[in-house]
Amino acid sequence: MASEISLHKAKTNNIYNVVAVPEMELLKSLGIRAGATLRVICHYPLGGPTLVCVEDCATVAVGKDVASLVSLAPETGDTDSVEDVA
């Protein structure tokens, strides 16, 4: 089983399940909650925010400090973890 990583360290273009989030009303209002699915779109340079697509419907930016507090696990259907069976 893959280990958890922070949103700030997540790979671009991968899909993750949110495992844990800090108790913040802003994150709740953005749909970032335990059990939600996120796709990381990009990480802006120089400590900028992380741009994510939440539940395939909303695109939001999360600051580096908050992103480092959000724990993720790779989605089980992630293409990076699929083995070629032939």
Side-chain angles (χ1 to χ4, degrees):
M1 181 167 188
S3 62
E4 294 176 13
I5 59 170
S6 74
L7 174 55
H8 177 66
K9 303 276 184 182
K11 291 184 180 180
T12 302
N13 291 323
N14 284 2
I15 298 173
Y16 297 91
N17 292 317
V18 178
V19 176
V21 296
E23 190 65 34
M24 298 177 75
E25 288 300 317
L26 175 63
L27 293 177
K28 287 180 186 178
S29 70
L30 296 173
I32 300 173
R33 55 175 171 59
T37 302
L38 302 178
R39 181 174 56 87
V40 178
I41 297 171
C42 71
H43 297 282
Y44 285 94
L46 304 173
T50 298
L51 192 63
V52 297
C53 180
V54 181
E55 298 288 342
D56 288 330
C57 64
T59 302
V60 298
V62 180
K64 176 184 175 182
D65 293 340
V66 175
S68 64
L69 300 174
V70 177
S71 296
L72 306 175
E75 188 176 57
T76 54
D78 196 357
T79 56
D80 285 348
S81 62
V82 175
E83 295 182 25
D84 188 23
V85 180

